Amino acid sequence: MRVEGSEIVVVPHTHWDREWYLPFQRFRLRLVSLLDGVIAGMEADPRWHFTLDGQMAAVDDYLEIRPERRERVAALVREGRLAVGPWQILHDEFLCSGENIVRNLELGMRRAEELGAVMMVGYLPDQFGHCAQMPQILRLAGIEHACVWRGVPDRVRTRAFAWEAPDGTAIRTQYLPEGGYGNAASMFEEFGDGASLLPGRVAGFAESMGRWYPDGGPLLAMYGADHTAPAADLADRIASAGLGMRLDTLAGYFAGEDPVVDGLPRVRGELRSHARANILPGVISARIRLKQLMGRAERLVERYAEPLTALWYSGDAERFLDLAWRRLIEVSCHDSVTGCGSDETAEQVAAHMAEAEQLGRAVCDLVTAERAASVPLGSHLVFNPTPAARAGLVTLDIPCKGEPGLVTGDGRPVPVQTLEIAPTVLDDALHPASELPILLERVYGRVLFGQEIRDWSVSREERTLTFHVTPRADVPFDIGEVREALRDADGDWRVRILADPRRSVAALVDVPALGLTTVRPVPPAGPTETRVRAEENVLDNGLLRAEVREDGTLRLRTPSGHVVEDVGRIVDGGDLGDSYNYAPPGSDRIIGDSLTVDVKPVWDGPLVAALDIVRTYRWPAAGDIPRDARSEAEEDVTVTTRAELRADEPFLRLRVTFDNRCDDHRVRLHTVLPRQARTSFAEGQFTITERGPAAEGGFGERPVPTFPASGFVAAGGVAVLLEHVTEYEVTGGGRELALTLLRSIGHLSRDRNAYRDQPAGPQLPTPQAQCRGERTVGLAIMPYTGERPGIDVLQAAEAYRHDLLTAPGYGHSSADVPASRAGVAITGDGVVMTSFRARDGWIETRMVAQCTEPTTAVLRGDFTEATRVGLRGDPGVPLDVHDGTALLALRPWEIATVRLRTP
C-alpha cells in the first residue's frame, strides 16, 4: 500500500539529553552503548542513515571513551550517512548570552568539519522556545534552513514558514508538527504482528501529516525519541513494506528543499507560543543560583578575559579561553542551565559554571599581573571593559594614615571616599619563650596574617618581637635571621603584629575605552566634592532621589519630576509546581506586608551612599499538597535590601538578601509603574524584544505571562537593570512590574501540575531545588521617559553589568606610574559590543545595533586595517580606515563582525 503523492523520508535519530534526570556520566554510559550499536549497524548495512541530534557533544562524549573509533565515525560522516552538527550542544536560547549561542555554533561547525562534514541545518528540536535573532545568527553562519518544534504560533498552518529576525533576515523554517522530533517514533513499534500493522500506521501518518504539506513534497518522518536507538532491522522493514518510504539523514532531506522563503507565511521575532507544544517557562526561574553563576561566568570571559588578552597581553592564553568557552557552551544545554534536572545534575552544572568563571578570572589575573608589574606598590591598575570612555566607582585598598588622596598616572585628581579603616594591630600577646619557635611557624614564606612582612625587630631588653606587615613588600626577608635573633631567649615575650595603616576607599576613576588607567596615593588636596548624600531615610545624587517609606518600599524622583512609587515591595506566594512550570496552590496565601521595618545607614557620601532596609515577615513554611494550599506552620524571615546610589549613576542599585527557610514558594520584587504598560521590553540575545501582556495559549499548558530578560526589562517608565537572566511579569493590569527573586520547588516534574496537562519528565524529588539557605539577588531601578527604553537605558545597563576591574601594582615602589592607555573605542547610537577577542592574528569584535533606526558604528583605535567578516570569520568586505577610524553602517538590529589589524 502506498499513499498517493506522499513519499515519506524516514530520518532515524536519537534525541540525546547530555544530562537531565541522570547526571552526565550515567547518561554517557548509555550513549556509548547506543552508538556502538548504531555504528556497527551502519557499517554492516549501507542502506542505514542516522542523524545525531544536531549536536557534536554526543560525538565528542563518545569518542572520549572510544577514541579508536574516530576514523570509523568520520568515514560515515564523509559518506553522508551520519549527520553531525551544526551545534556543539542543544542550548536553551534564553538562558545564555547571544555570544554563547554564536560560540556554540562556531565550535559545533568546526568540530563537525573536522570529522568530514557539518549538517547545514539549524536543527532546534527541543529548546523551550526560540530567541528572536536566531534566523540572523543562522544565516550569518551560512545556514539556510531551520527546523523547530516548540513555540511556533497557531497561525502557522503549513510545514514551512519564513522565520524573520528583527533586522529582517528570514530563513526557511520547517515546523515539526504532530509530535515534534518524535512524530514517527511509534510507527515501527512491534506489538504482536508488527508487519501487518505497519501499512495502517504509514497511512495514518501520511493522512495526519498531509494537511501540513499543501504544496506537496516528501513527508518528514522523525523516527527517534529521547535516549533511544532505532530498530536494528529498520532498513529491512522499509524495503519489504514497499510503502513509498526511504531512509535519509536530516541533511539529506533538506538537500531537496528550496531555501527560498517567498510565498511562505511569515513569523517575526521570538517563538514563545504555547499553542501547540509546552514551552515550559518555569525553567527561567528554577534554581536561580545557576542563572547567577552563568551570567557571572559569561561576563567574565566575554567582556573581561578576552578583551584584556586581545589588547594588553603579550603571551598566549587561547587554550585557557577555549576551555572556558567549552564549559560555558556545555552548561548552556536546555536541561543544564535550565535547572530542570536532578539535584546531582545541578551540582555538576554549577561546578562547570564555576570552572568557567575560574578560568576567566585566571586569565584576567594573568594579564593584569603582567601589566601590574610596572605599577608601583601602593598604586592600582584599572581596566575599562566598555568600548567607550567612562568614569566608574572602584573599591581600592590603599596605604594612608589620614584622609587619602589619589591621582591618575597622568596626574589628574581622583575623587575618593573612605569606606572602611583597616586595623593596624593584628595581634599583641605575651608568650613563653618556649613557644616562640612554634609562633614562627605561622610565617609562610614571608606571609603572616594574610600580609607580607616588610620589617621586623627584636628587643631583648623589653623581650619584644615585632613584625610590620603590609599587603605586598619589596624588601628582602629571611625567617632564619629572626630565629637567630631569638636564640636562647627566656622568660615571657611580647609578640606584636602591626599592619601599615590602610583604608578601603571608593574612587571615581576615568578610564579610556577598553583601556587602562593607574591610580596612586598622594596627600589629600582637600575634601571631595559631595555628589551623593544620605540624610536619614533619603539618598540623593542629583540625578535620582530615593526615599524609604514607612513600609520599607522606596519612592524615586528625578530632577524632571518623574516619580516611581512603591519600589522594592517583597511578595511571597505559594508554588506547588515543578522545575518546568510554576503552579500556585488552589488556596494560596500571598504575603506582601512586612511585620517590622528598620532602616540602617551604611555610607553617607560623598561618592556613594547606601541604606540597609531590614524587613521581617512570617512566611508559610511549606506547601500542603493534599489540601492544595500552603501550610499553617510559618517561619520568621528577615529580608535586607541594600539601597545604594553612586555618583553620576541615574539608577538605584538594590541588593536583596534573605535566608530561605521555606519550601514550595515564589518570592518576587514588585515595583509600581508610573504609567500603565501595554507592552514590555526585554534585552537579550542581540535584541530588545517587545512583548504584549500575555503569551498565546492553546495547548495543555497555562500561558502564564512571565518572560525572560537578560540585560534589562523596561515597562511603563521603569527599567530594571539585571545581573543575570531573570523572570519578570507585568501585573496589575499593566501597573506593576514583578521580578522573580526565588522559586522553591521540590520535584523535577509533577505528574499533576495545575498549569500543565502532561508530565515534562519523571516525577523525581529534587529537594535541593527548594533553594534553602542565604539568597542574594542584585538589580537596579532606573526611571526613563518615552514608550521604549532609549540609549540612556542601554548605556546604564552596560555600566551596571560591567564594573571597572582593578589589580594592585607590585612593581618597585619608586617606579614611575604609567600613563593612561586607550584600547579600541566602539561607539554609535544603539551600538552594543558583545565580543572582543584575538582570533587568527586579528582582533575580532562583534556588535549589534539595538535600535529601531539605522545607525553607524564608529571604531577608533590603533589599527591599520578593518574588514567586515562572516560570523565564522569568513572573508568579507574591507572598511575604509582613516587615522585609526572606521565607519560601519548598520540597519536596525543588525549583527556585525569586524576584524582589525593592529601594528
Side-chain angles (χ1 to χ4, degrees):
M1 171 183 176
R2 175 173 178 152
V3 180
E4 186 65 29
S6 57
E7 180 191 22
I8 297 175
V9 177
V10 178
V11 176
H13 73 97
T14 186
H15 176 59
W16 199 264
D17 299 298
R18 190 170 187 261
E19 52 195 357
W20 181 23
Y21 59 83
L22 293 178
F24 164 58
Q25 296 296 356
R26 293 180 68 185
F27 265 141
R28 176 153 72 170
L29 197 70
R30 298 183 182 184
L31 173 69
V32 171
S33 176
L34 183 148
L35 288 183
D36 280 348
V38 167
I39 292 167
M42 294 182 75
E43 290 175 331
D45 188 344
R47 296 172 296 174
W48 257 99
H49 292 72
F50 193 76
T51 298
L52 201 48
D53 206 27
Q55 55 178 332
M56 279 299 300
V59 181
D60 291 342
D61 293 341
Y62 176 74
L63 292 179
E64 189 175 22
I65 303 299
R66 300 275 194 262
E68 72 281 0
R69 298 192 178 179
R70 176 183 174 83
E71 181 51 38
R72 293 168 64 182
V73 171
L76 295 171
V77 172
R78 290 193 298 267
E79 291 172 16
R81 294 198 293 130
L82 179 63
V84 296
W87 302 102
Q88 180 64 24
I89 206 159
L90 295 180
H91 56 295
D92 184 281
E93 297 176 30
F94 296 95
L95 286 171
C96 63
S97 68
E99 193 60 32
N100 198 329
I101 295 173
V102 171
R103 304 300 180 92
N104 185 353
L105 193 57
E106 178 184 296
L107 178 60
M109 295 181 79
R110 184 177 74 243
R111 297 285 296 114
E113 288 170 347
E114 290 170 359
L115 280 180
V118 57
M119 181 174 76
M120 295 297 285
V121 178
Y123 186 46
L124 302 162
D126 196 32
Q127 278 86 338
F128 308 150
H130 304 283
C131 67
Q133 287 281 33
M134 186 57 71
Q136 187 179 179
I137 292 170
L138 293 174
R139 289 298 299 271
L140 286 172
I143 294 175
E144 297 182 315
H145 292 275
C147 185
V148 302
W149 171 35
R150 303 184 194 268
V152 175
D154 181 69
R155 67 180 181 274
V156 172
R157 300 300 175 94
T158 61
R159 53 92 176 232
F161 63 96
W163 184 13
E164 189 174 300
D167 76 314
T169 299
I171 189 170
R172 184 193 180 279
T173 304
Q174 181 92 9
Y175 172 47
L176 296 173
E178 310 294 338
Y181 59 82
N183 61 15
S186 61
M187 186 183 296
F188 299 98
E189 288 183 357
E190 291 194 14
F191 298 102
D193 186 0
S196 64
L197 296 175
L198 186 58
R201 290 175 179 169
V202 172
F205 178 85
E207 182 179 359
S208 64
M209 291 293 289
R211 66 188 179 92
W212 296 94
Y213 288 70
D215 56 345
L219 308 182
L220 177 59
M222 298 296 291
Y223 173 54
D226 295 358
H227 309 114
T228 59
D233 60 345
L234 178 63
D236 290 334
R237 291 195 218 175
I238 287 178
S240 61
L243 298 173
M245 294 185 289
R246 64 178 175 87
L247 286 175
D248 210 334
T249 63
L250 199 61
Y253 174 84
F254 280 104
E257 296 293 319
D258 192 336
V260 173
V261 298
D262 296 343
L264 294 177
R266 300 183 83 84
V267 177
R268 187 179 179 90
E270 67 180 3
L271 305 180
R272 287 191 64 85
S273 170
H274 305 253
R276 295 201 181 91
N278 297 334
I279 66 167
L280 312 170
V283 299
I284 301 299
S285 51
R287 303 186 195 263
I288 282 179
R289 177 172 173 266
L290 293 182
K291 285 63 173 176
Q292 293 175 308
L293 291 171
M294 185 69 156
R296 195 163 64 225
E298 284 180 330
R299 283 198 307 278
L300 193 59
V301 175
E302 293 173 10
R303 296 299 305 277
Y304 293 88
E306 286 193 329
L308 272 168
T309 305
L311 288 167
W312 304 112
Y313 188 50
S314 61
D316 181 8
E318 182 179 359
R319 296 296 295 273
F320 293 104
L321 292 169
D322 287 348
L323 184 54
W325 271 114
R326 191 68 177 254
R327 293 292 178 264
L328 287 172
I329 292 166
E330 287 171 352
V331 296
S332 74
C333 185
H334 65 288
D335 291 308
S336 299
V337 66
T338 47
C340 58
S342 66
D343 285 346
E344 283 182 292
T345 296
E347 289 177 357
Q348 190 170 31
V349 170
H352 287 162
M353 290 174 175
E355 188 177 349
E357 181 182 357
Q358 291 157 10
L359 284 161
R361 195 170 299 281
V363 170
C364 289
D365 292 344
L366 190 70
V367 181
T368 55
E370 181 179 87
R371 290 291 164 177
S374 60
V375 175
L377 284 173
S379 299
H380 288 77
L381 183 74
V382 185
F383 169 67
N384 175 16
T386 298
R390 60 182 274 207
L393 211 63
V394 296
T395 301
L396 304 175
D397 182 46
I398 62 172
C400 60
K401 293 182 179 180
E403 284 299 317
L406 287 177
V407 296
T408 66
D410 311 299
R412 291 174 287 118
V414 175
V416 296
Q417 172 187 333
T418 296
L419 302 178
E420 186 177 18
I421 299 175
T424 55
V425 180
L426 305 184
D427 196 25
D428 191 343
L430 289 175
H431 299 273
S434 60
E435 292 183 3
L436 292 178
I438 299 174
L439 293 176
L440 293 182
E441 293 297 326
R442 294 178 182 173
V443 179
Y444 182 74
R446 67 182 307 152
V447 176
L448 181 60
F449 278 57
Q451 300 191 49
E452 295 186 359
I453 298 170
R454 68 163 177 81
D455 192 13
W456 61 275
S457 63
V458 169
S459 172
R460 284 186 170 270
E461 292 77 12
E462 298 178 358
R463 287 194 172 94
T464 301
L465 168 63
T466 303
F467 287 105
H468 291 274
V469 297
T470 193
R472 192 144 191 161
D474 60 354
V475 294
F477 171 74
D478 183 354
I479 189 66
E481 294 178 359
V482 182
R483 290 194 177 99
E484 183 62 29
L486 293 172
R487 183 188 296 274
D488 301 325
D490 57 6
D492 290 336
W493 277 68
R494 183 184 183 189
V495 179
R496 297 187 303 167
I497 316 297
L498 304 180
D500 289 344
R502 305 190 70 81
R503 295 188 178 213
S504 176
V505 304
L508 189 62
V509 185
D510 287 296
V511 193
L514 290 172
L516 301 173
T517 288
T518 52
V519 294
R520 62 183 176 89
V522 295
T528 296
E529 176 190 358
T530 298
R531 305 193 192 190
V532 188
R533 69 179 188 276
E535 297 176 352
E536 295 183 351
N537 291 353
V538 176
L539 304 173
D540 195 327
N541 69 352
L543 300 175
L544 195 61
R545 177 183 173 89
E547 179 184 356
V548 183
R549 313 304 294 268
E550 290 184 358
D551 62 355
T553 63
L554 294 115
R555 182 175 188 260
L556 305 184
R557 177 186 288 273
T558 68
S560 62
H562 195 91
V563 177
V564 185
E565 301 279 4
D566 295 327
V567 173
R569 184 162 59 95
I570 303 297
V571 178
D572 174 72
D575 188 347
L576 296 183
D578 50 39
S579 63
Y580 292 102
N581 294 82
Y582 159 79
S587 178
D588 203 357
R589 292 169 59 198
I590 306 297
I591 313 296
D593 296 327
S594 60
L595 302 176
T596 64
V597 179
D598 187 21
V599 181
K600 300 178 179 180
V602 182
W603 301 303
D604 59 3
L607 299 179
V608 56
L611 301 169
D612 278 347
I613 306 165
V614 183
R615 288 172 281 185
T616 61
Y617 300 84
R618 287 188 65 80
W619 291 345
D624 189 332
I625 295 174
R627 293 177 51 245
D628 194 19
R630 303 187 75 182
S631 67
E632 296 299 324
E634 296 179 330
E635 289 281 355
D636 292 323
V637 179
T638 299
V639 179
T640 300
T641 302
R642 175 159 294 184
E644 178 182 320
L645 274 183
R646 298 182 179 182
D648 302 336
E649 289 187 345
F651 49 85
L652 176 71
R653 295 171 180 257
L654 298 178
R655 187 156 295 276
V656 182
T657 302
F658 60 93
D659 180 9
N660 180 38
R661 305 168 64 186
C662 307
D663 292 341
D664 310 316
H665 68 129
R666 181 178 68 175
V667 183
R668 302 205 289 184
L669 182 143
H670 284 240
T671 292
V672 171
L673 301 177
R675 59 179 181 273
Q676 186 176 18
R678 294 178 176 82
T679 60
S680 63
F681 302 87
E683 191 279 338
Q685 296 82 38
F686 299 116
T687 193
I688 300 171
T689 300
E690 182 176 0
R691 299 184 176 113
E696 180 183 50
F699 194 66
E701 180 180 53
R702 181 76 65 90
V704 294
T706 57
F707 301 102
S710 295
F712 64 82
V713 56
V718 170
V720 182
L721 315 180
L722 304 169
E723 295 180 353
H724 54 83
V725 178
T726 300
E727 175 187 271
Y728 76 89
E729 179 181 357
V730 177
T731 67
R735 300 312 303 242
E736 283 196 38
L737 182 62
L739 294 102
T740 303
L741 304 180
L742 176 77
R743 197 161 72 85
S744 299
I745 44 91
H747 283 81
L748 185 150
S749 172
R750 289 190 188 273
D751 289 350
R752 296 182 61 185
N753 183 311
Y755 276 21
R756 188 190 65 243
D757 291 345
Q758 303 170 330
Q763 185 164 294
L764 179 72
T766 54
Q768 291 181 25
Q770 297 286 5
C771 304
R772 284 180 164 255
E774 185 173 286
R775 300 293 154 187
T776 298
V777 177
L779 48 85
I781 310 293
M782 177 180 176
Y784 70 93
T785 58
E787 180 64 23
R788 298 182 63 92
I791 295 170
D792 56 340
V793 175
L794 282 174
Q795 292 172 340
E798 165 71 22
Y800 176 69
R801 288 168 64 88
H802 304 107
D803 283 333
L804 302 180
L805 178 70
T806 66
Y810 65 94
H812 196 276
S813 55
S814 62
D816 293 334
V817 179
S820 298
R821 288 153 290 177
V824 174
I826 301 172
T827 57
D829 289 349
V831 177
V832 175
M833 186 191 80
T834 65
S835 173
F836 194 97
R837 59 171 167 167
R839 189 180 186 194
D840 301 333
W842 296 74
I843 288 178
E844 181 184 273
T845 183
R846 194 158 14 256
M847 64 207 77
V848 58
Q850 291 197 351
C851 48
T852 58
E853 299 294 331
T855 189
T856 299
V858 181
L859 293 83
R860 293 189 178 92
D862 187 20
F863 55 85
T864 56
E865 295 180 56
T867 303
R868 181 163 185 176
V869 298
L871 201 68
R872 302 180 62 207
D874 305 321
V877 180
L879 304 179
D880 290 334
V881 177
H882 298 286
D883 299 324
T885 300
L887 305 180
L888 178 62
L890 297 172
R891 60 182 181 271
W893 313 111
E894 183 178 5
I895 302 168
T897 305
V898 174
R899 286 191 169 181
L900 307 173
R901 181 81 75 186
T902 56

